[in-house]
Amino acid sequence: DNGSTASCTWQGKTFVITAGPTREAIDPVRYISNHSSGKMGYALAQAAANAGAKVVLVSGPTQLATPKGVQRIDVETAEQMLTAVQQQLTDCDVFIGCAAVSDYRVEDIAEHKIKKEQNSEPPKLSLVQNPDILKTVAQSANAPFTVGFAAETQNLKENALSKLQRKQLQMIIANDVSEPHQGFNSDQNSALILSKDSEQSLPTMSKHDMAVAIIDAIAKRYFDTSN
Ligand code: CTP
Ligand code: CA
């Protein structure tokens, strides 16, 4: 800890944080997923716990150890992630959606391994849209202070601001995932922290340092606006 967040800042408050990828089955041996490592979400969970919060981490499949003092709930699919998150909402002051949720899932999961038929057309996957977990939380009754991420490869600020508005978030962390050695699976990150009326740019730093900076930025706004 670099000392910028006192260990009692978030005493008595509960964070629910999603992290990692989701995994959507095609058949019993195959799935659709993405390159998220979970590192940023796990770093946020650790930083919030270090700052005194109770932290529930709802995690897709990752290779990471559970951060110290954090309660972890493991899920695979977007639908399971939504259900797990909703079960935590009765006690949630801050929600951070850091997971790389699969936007689509396979409409009909094959019961058995799909076989390679000779001389026939390749199978076509029919996809349906997954629920938007972040938007569902932000628009729920008694919604917590809701923070999203935006992974973009172009028009970073514009795309992130439109997500902030569309999903009715209090804050969004915009990541340019087209920059090399950043974002997905990397140890480093740079970001733009956007809210309705403020903007803070974070230079390239470790995900650990970025997590501390993000938890600090949330504290500044949270304790400003909530009575
Ligand atoms: N998110 C979510 N549930 C989904 C999709 C996204 O909770 N089904 C959350 C992510 O955790 C992230 C934010 O929404 O905090 C933005 O994710 P992103 O993929 O950048 O945005 P989308 O709204 O999915 O739009 P698109 O992928 O088209 O850019
Ligand atoms: Ca998406």
Side-chain angles (χ1 to χ4, degrees):
D1 191 77
N2 64 11
S4 63
T5 303
S7 64
C8 58
T9 307
W10 288 101
Q11 201 78 55
K13 301 291 182 188
T14 301
F15 279 61
V16 177
I17 300 174
T18 65
T22 65
R23 190 179 272 186
E24 311 292 338
I26 298 170
D27 69 13
V29 298
R30 305 183 176 97
Y31 58 81
I32 296 172
S33 192
N34 59 66
H35 288 298
S36 172
S37 62
K39 285 173 189 166
M40 191 67 234
Y42 278 57
L44 285 165
Q46 186 67 78
N50 289 348
K54 176 188 159 194
V55 181
V56 179
L57 179 62
V58 180
S59 178
T62 71
Q63 303 293 321
L64 304 173
T66 306
K68 232 174 89 202
V70 168
Q71 180 197 340
R72 170 169 158 190
I73 300 172
D74 286 320
V75 298
E76 285 208 348
T77 68
E79 289 180 302
Q80 289 166 1
M81 187 173 273
L82 175 62
T83 300
V85 164
Q86 283 178 315
Q87 284 169 353
Q88 300 303 319
L89 286 186
T90 48
D91 175 25
C92 176
D93 300 293
V94 178
F95 176 81
I96 309 178
C98 192
V101 181
S102 179
D103 291 332
Y104 301 99
R105 67 178 180 276
V106 175
E107 188 171 24
D108 293 301
I109 301 170
E111 192 185 340
H112 295 287
K113 185 185 172 199
I114 298 169
K115 301 302 287 180
K116 186 171 47 172
E117 312 279 1
Q118 296 301 320
N119 309 317
S120 70
E121 288 280 299
K124 297 210 162 40
L125 290 180
S126 176
L127 304 179
V128 290
Q129 200 168 325
N130 269 326
D132 190 317
I133 299 164
L134 184 63
K135 189 174 168 191
T136 305
V137 170
Q139 300 181 359
S140 63
N142 300 116
F145 186 98
T146 305
V147 181
F149 274 74
E152 308 291 347
T153 59
Q154 57 179 352
N155 305 330
L156 181 67
K157 189 173 167 186
E158 188 189 324
N159 282 336
L161 280 174
S162 107
K163 277 175 193 163
L164 179 80
Q165 281 167 4
R166 193 170 71 238
K167 304 192 188 195
Q168 294 175 236
L169 312 175
Q170 273 66 52
M171 185 180 280
I172 195 156
I173 318 299
N175 275 152
D176 187 339
V177 289
S178 68
E179 284 179 41
H181 314 302
Q182 289 203 27
F184 282 154
N185 225 334
S186 140
D187 290 316
Q188 299 249 92
N189 222 349
S190 68
L192 200 55
I193 304 182
L194 300 167
S195 65
K196 204 172 49 187
D197 50 20
S198 75
E199 175 180 337
Q200 183 188 349
S201 154
L202 299 178
T204 302
M205 59 179 85
S206 72
K207 286 185 177 176
H208 170 271
D209 289 347
M210 176 151 298
V212 173
I214 290 170
I215 299 299
D216 270 352
I218 295 171
K220 281 206 186 72
R221 288 205 73 87
Y222 181 89
F223 293 109
D224 251 17
T225 55
S226 78
N227 53 60

Coordinates of all heavy atoms in Angstrom, one line a residue, residues 19-35 59-61 75-83 99-110 114 125-133:
A19 N -15.0 -10.0 -11.8 CA -13.7 -10.1 -12.4 C -13.6 -11.3 -13.3 O -14.3 -12.2 -13.2 CB -12.7 -10.2 -11.3
G20 N -12.6 -11.2 -14.2 CA -12.3 -12.3 -15.0 C -13.2 -12.4 -16.2 O -14.1 -11.6 -16.4
P21 N -13.0 -13.5 -17.0 CA -13.9 -13.7 -18.2 C -15.1 -14.4 -17.8 O -15.2 -14.9 -16.6 CB -13.0 -14.6 -19.1 CG -12.2 -15.4 -18.1 CD -12.0 -14.5 -16.9
T22 N -16.1 -14.5 -18.6 CA -17.1 -15.6 -18.5 C -16.8 -16.6 -19.5 O -16.1 -16.4 -20.5 CB -18.6 -15.1 -18.6 OG1 -18.8 -14.6 -19.9 CG2 -18.8 -14.0 -17.5
R23 N -17.4 -17.8 -19.4 CA -17.2 -18.9 -20.3 C -18.6 -19.5 -20.7 O -19.4 -19.8 -19.8 CB -16.4 -19.9 -19.4 CG -15.9 -21.1 -20.2 CD -15.1 -22.0 -19.3 NE -13.7 -21.6 -19.1 CZ -12.8 -22.3 -18.5 NH1 -13.2 -23.4 -17.8 NH2 -11.5 -21.9 -18.4
E24 N -18.8 -19.5 -21.9 CA -20.1 -19.9 -22.4 C -20.0 -21.2 -23.2 O -19.3 -21.2 -24.3 CB -20.7 -18.8 -23.3 CG -20.7 -17.4 -22.7 CD -21.6 -17.2 -21.5 OE1 -22.5 -17.9 -21.4 OE2 -21.3 -16.2 -20.7
A25 N -20.6 -22.2 -22.8 CA -20.4 -23.5 -23.4 C -21.0 -23.6 -24.8 O -22.1 -23.0 -25.1 CB -21.1 -24.6 -22.5
I26 N -20.3 -24.4 -25.7 CA -20.8 -24.7 -27.0 C -21.4 -26.1 -26.9 O -22.4 -26.4 -27.4 CB -19.7 -24.6 -28.1 CG1 -19.2 -23.2 -28.1 CG2 -20.2 -25.1 -29.4 CD1 -18.0 -23.0 -29.0
D27 N -20.5 -27.0 -26.4 CA -20.9 -28.4 -26.1 C -20.1 -28.8 -24.9 O -19.5 -28.0 -24.2 CB -20.6 -29.3 -27.4 CG -19.1 -29.4 -27.7 OD1 -18.3 -29.1 -26.8 OD2 -18.8 -29.9 -28.8
P28 N -20.1 -30.1 -24.4 CA -19.5 -30.4 -23.2 C -18.0 -30.2 -23.1 O -17.4 -30.1 -22.0 CB -19.8 -31.9 -23.0 CG -21.0 -32.2 -23.8 CD -20.9 -31.2 -25.0
V29 N -17.3 -30.0 -24.3 CA -15.9 -29.8 -24.3 C -15.4 -28.5 -24.8 O -14.2 -28.2 -24.9 CB -15.2 -31.0 -25.0 CG1 -15.5 -32.3 -24.3 CG2 -15.5 -31.0 -26.5
R30 N -16.3 -27.6 -25.3 CA -15.9 -26.4 -25.9 C -16.7 -25.2 -25.4 O -17.8 -25.3 -24.9 CB -16.1 -26.5 -27.5 CG -15.5 -27.7 -28.1 CD -15.7 -27.7 -29.6 NE -15.0 -28.8 -30.2 CZ -15.6 -30.0 -30.6 NH1 -16.8 -30.2 -30.3 NH2 -14.9 -30.9 -31.2
Y31 N -16.0 -24.0 -25.5 CA -16.7 -22.8 -25.0 C -16.2 -21.6 -25.7 O -15.2 -21.6 -26.4 CB -16.5 -22.6 -23.5 CG -15.0 -22.6 -23.1 CD1 -14.3 -21.4 -23.1 CD2 -14.4 -23.7 -22.6 CE1 -13.0 -21.3 -22.7 CE2 -13.1 -23.6 -22.1 CZ -12.4 -22.4 -22.2 OH -11.1 -22.4 -21.8
I32 N -17.0 -20.5 -25.6 CA -16.6 -19.1 -26.0 C -16.2 -18.3 -24.8 O -16.8 -18.4 -23.8 CB -17.9 -18.4 -26.7 CG1 -18.3 -19.2 -27.9 CG2 -17.6 -17.0 -27.0 CD1 -19.6 -18.7 -28.5
S33 N -15.0 -17.7 -25.0 CA -14.6 -16.8 -23.8 C -13.7 -15.7 -24.4 O -13.8 -15.3 -25.6 CB -13.8 -17.7 -22.9 OG -13.5 -17.0 -21.7
N34 N -12.9 -15.1 -23.6 CA -12.0 -14.0 -24.0 C -10.7 -14.0 -23.2 O -10.5 -14.8 -22.3 CB -12.8 -12.7 -23.9 CG -13.2 -12.4 -22.4 OD1 -12.4 -12.3 -21.5 ND2 -14.5 -12.5 -22.2
H35 N -9.8 -13.0 -23.5 CA -8.5 -13.0 -22.9 C -8.4 -12.4 -21.5 O -7.2 -12.3 -21.0 CB -7.5 -12.3 -23.8 CG -7.2 -13.1 -25.1 ND1 -6.6 -14.3 -25.1 CD2 -7.4 -12.8 -26.4 CE1 -6.5 -14.7 -26.3 NE2 -7.0 -13.8 -27.1
S59 N -16.3 -14.1 -9.4 CA -15.2 -14.3 -10.4 C -15.5 -15.4 -11.4 O -15.9 -16.5 -11.1 CB -13.9 -14.7 -9.7 OG -12.8 -14.9 -10.6
G60 N -15.2 -15.1 -12.7 CA -15.2 -16.1 -13.7 C -13.9 -16.9 -13.6 O -13.1 -16.6 -12.7
P61 N -13.7 -17.9 -14.5 CA -12.5 -18.7 -14.3 C -11.2 -18.0 -14.5 O -11.0 -17.3 -15.5 CB -12.6 -19.7 -15.5 CG -14.1 -19.6 -16.0 CD -14.5 -18.2 -15.6
V75 N -18.0 -18.4 -10.6 CA -19.0 -18.7 -11.6 C -18.4 -18.9 -12.9 O -17.2 -18.7 -13.1 CB -20.0 -17.5 -11.7 CG1 -20.8 -17.2 -10.4 CG2 -19.3 -16.2 -12.2
E76 N -19.2 -19.4 -13.9 CA -18.6 -19.6 -15.2 C -19.3 -18.7 -16.3 O -18.7 -18.0 -17.0 CB -18.8 -21.1 -15.7 CG -17.8 -22.0 -15.0 CD -17.4 -23.2 -15.8 OE1 -18.1 -23.5 -16.8 OE2 -16.4 -23.9 -15.5
T77 N -20.7 -18.8 -16.3 CA -21.4 -18.1 -17.4 C -21.8 -16.7 -16.9 O -21.9 -16.4 -15.7 CB -22.6 -18.9 -17.8 OG1 -23.6 -18.8 -16.7 CG2 -22.3 -20.3 -18.1
A78 N -22.2 -15.9 -17.9 CA -22.7 -14.5 -17.6 C -24.0 -14.6 -16.8 O -24.2 -13.8 -15.8 CB -23.0 -13.8 -18.9
E79 N -24.9 -15.6 -17.1 CA -26.1 -15.7 -16.4 C -25.9 -16.1 -14.9 O -26.5 -15.6 -14.0 CB -27.0 -16.8 -17.0 CG -27.6 -16.2 -18.4 CD -28.5 -17.3 -19.0 OE1 -28.0 -18.4 -19.3 OE2 -29.7 -16.9 -19.3
Q80 N -24.9 -17.0 -14.7 CA -24.5 -17.4 -13.3 C -23.9 -16.2 -12.6 O -24.2 -16.0 -11.4 CB -23.5 -18.5 -13.3 CG -24.1 -19.9 -13.7 CD -23.0 -20.9 -14.0 OE1 -21.8 -20.6 -13.9 NE2 -23.4 -22.1 -14.4
M81 N -23.2 -15.3 -13.3 CA -22.6 -14.2 -12.7 C -23.6 -13.2 -12.3 O -23.6 -12.6 -11.2 CB -21.6 -13.5 -13.7 CG -20.8 -12.4 -13.1 SD -19.5 -11.8 -14.2 CE -18.1 -12.9 -13.8
L82 N -24.6 -13.0 -13.1 CA -25.7 -12.1 -12.8 C -26.5 -12.6 -11.5 O -26.8 -11.8 -10.6 CB -26.7 -11.9 -14.0 CG -28.0 -11.1 -13.7 CD1 -27.6 -9.7 -13.3 CD2 -28.9 -11.1 -14.8
T83 N -26.8 -13.9 -11.5 CA -27.5 -14.4 -10.3 C -26.7 -14.2 -9.1 O -27.2 -13.8 -8.0 CB -27.8 -15.9 -10.6 OG1 -28.6 -16.1 -11.8 CG2 -28.5 -16.5 -9.4
A99 N -15.5 -7.5 -14.8 CA -15.4 -8.7 -15.6 C -15.6 -8.4 -17.1 O -16.2 -7.5 -17.5 CB -16.6 -9.7 -15.1
A100 N -14.9 -9.2 -17.9 CA -15.1 -9.2 -19.3 C -16.2 -10.2 -19.6 O -15.9 -11.4 -19.9 CB -13.8 -9.6 -20.0
V101 N -17.4 -9.7 -19.5 CA -18.6 -10.6 -19.7 C -18.8 -10.9 -21.2 O -18.8 -10.0 -22.0 CB -19.9 -9.9 -19.1 CG1 -21.1 -10.8 -19.2 CG2 -19.6 -9.5 -17.6
S102 N -19.0 -12.1 -21.5 CA -19.3 -12.5 -22.9 C -20.6 -11.9 -23.3 O -21.6 -12.0 -22.6 CB -19.4 -14.0 -23.0 OG -19.7 -14.4 -24.3
D103 N -20.6 -11.1 -24.4 CA -21.9 -10.4 -24.8 C -22.9 -11.4 -25.3 O -24.1 -11.1 -25.2 CB -21.5 -9.4 -25.9 CG -20.7 -8.2 -25.4 OD1 -20.9 -7.9 -24.2 OD2 -20.0 -7.6 -26.1
Y104 N -22.4 -12.5 -25.8 CA -23.4 -13.5 -26.4 C -23.1 -14.9 -25.8 O -22.0 -15.2 -25.4 CB -23.2 -13.6 -27.9 CG -23.5 -12.2 -28.5 CD1 -22.4 -11.4 -28.9 CD2 -24.8 -11.8 -28.8 CE1 -22.7 -10.2 -29.5 CE2 -25.0 -10.6 -29.4 CZ -24.0 -9.8 -29.7 OH -24.2 -8.5 -30.3
R105 N -24.1 -15.7 -25.8 CA -24.0 -17.1 -25.5 C -24.6 -18.0 -26.6 O -25.4 -17.4 -27.4 CB -24.6 -17.5 -24.1 CG -26.1 -17.4 -24.1 CD -26.7 -17.7 -22.8 NE -28.2 -17.6 -22.8 CZ -28.8 -16.5 -22.6 NH1 -28.2 -15.4 -22.3 NH2 -30.2 -16.5 -22.6
V106 N -24.3 -19.3 -26.6 CA -24.8 -20.1 -27.6 C -26.3 -20.4 -27.3 O -26.6 -20.7 -26.1 CB -24.0 -21.4 -27.7 CG1 -24.6 -22.5 -28.6 CG2 -22.5 -21.1 -28.1
E107 N -27.1 -20.3 -28.3 CA -28.6 -20.5 -28.0 C -28.9 -21.9 -27.5 O -29.6 -22.0 -26.5 CB -29.3 -20.2 -29.3 CG -30.8 -20.1 -29.1 CD -31.6 -19.6 -30.4 OE1 -31.0 -19.8 -31.5 OE2 -32.7 -19.1 -30.2
D108 N -28.4 -22.9 -28.2 CA -28.7 -24.3 -27.8 C -27.4 -25.0 -27.5 O -26.7 -25.4 -28.5 CB -29.5 -25.0 -28.8 CG -30.9 -24.5 -28.9 OD1 -31.6 -24.4 -27.9 OD2 -31.3 -24.0 -30.0
I109 N -27.0 -25.2 -26.3 CA -25.8 -26.0 -26.0 C -26.0 -27.4 -26.3 O -27.0 -28.0 -25.9 CB -25.4 -25.8 -24.5 CG1 -25.3 -24.3 -24.1 CG2 -24.2 -26.6 -24.1 CD1 -25.2 -24.1 -22.6
A110 N -25.1 -28.0 -27.2 CA -25.2 -29.4 -27.6 C -25.0 -30.3 -26.4 O -24.1 -30.1 -25.5 CB -24.2 -29.7 -28.7
I114 N -19.9 -32.1 -30.3 CA -20.3 -32.0 -31.7 C -19.3 -32.7 -32.6 O -18.0 -32.5 -32.4 CB -20.4 -30.5 -32.1 CG1 -21.4 -29.8 -31.3 CG2 -20.6 -30.3 -33.6 CD1 -21.4 -28.3 -31.4
L125 N -23.1 -21.7 -35.4 CA -23.5 -21.4 -34.0 C -24.5 -20.3 -34.0 O -24.3 -19.2 -34.5 CB -22.3 -20.9 -33.2 CG -21.2 -22.0 -32.9 CD1 -20.1 -21.3 -32.1 CD2 -21.8 -23.1 -32.1
S126 N -25.6 -20.5 -33.4 CA -26.6 -19.5 -33.2 C -26.5 -18.9 -31.8 O -26.5 -19.6 -30.8 CB -28.0 -20.1 -33.4 OG -29.0 -19.1 -33.1
L127 N -26.3 -17.5 -31.8 CA -26.0 -16.9 -30.5 C -27.2 -16.0 -30.0 O -27.9 -15.5 -30.8 CB -24.8 -15.9 -30.7 CG -23.5 -16.6 -31.2 CD1 -22.4 -15.5 -31.3 CD2 -23.0 -17.7 -30.2
V128 N -27.3 -15.9 -28.7 CA -28.2 -14.9 -28.1 C -27.5 -14.0 -27.2 O -26.5 -14.4 -26.6 CB -29.4 -15.7 -27.4 CG1 -30.3 -16.4 -28.4 CG2 -28.9 -16.6 -26.4
Q129 N -28.1 -12.8 -27.0 CA -27.4 -11.8 -26.1 C -27.5 -12.2 -24.6 O -28.5 -12.7 -24.2 CB -28.0 -10.5 -26.4 CG -27.1 -9.4 -26.0 CD -27.5 -8.0 -26.4 OE1 -28.1 -7.9 -27.5 NE2 -27.3 -7.0 -25.6
N130 N -26.4 -12.0 -23.9 CA -26.4 -12.2 -22.5 C -27.0 -11.0 -21.8 O -27.0 -9.9 -22.3 CB -25.0 -12.4 -22.0 CG -24.6 -13.9 -21.9 OD1 -25.5 -14.7 -21.7 ND2 -23.4 -14.2 -22.2
P131 N -27.5 -11.1 -20.5 CA -27.9 -9.9 -19.8 C -26.7 -9.0 -19.5 O -25.6 -9.5 -19.4 CB -28.4 -10.6 -18.5 CG -27.8 -11.9 -18.4 CD -27.6 -12.4 -19.8
D132 N -27.0 -7.7 -19.4 CA -25.9 -6.8 -19.1 C -25.9 -6.6 -17.5 O -26.8 -6.0 -17.0 CB -26.2 -5.4 -19.8 CG -25.0 -4.5 -19.6 OD1 -24.4 -4.4 -18.5 OD2 -24.6 -3.8 -20.6
I133 N -24.9 -7.2 -16.9 CA -24.9 -7.3 -15.4 C -24.8 -5.9 -14.8 O -25.5 -5.5 -13.9 CB -23.7 -8.2 -15.0 CG1 -24.0 -9.6 -15.5 CG2 -23.6 -8.1 -13.4 CD1 -22.7 -10.5 -15.4

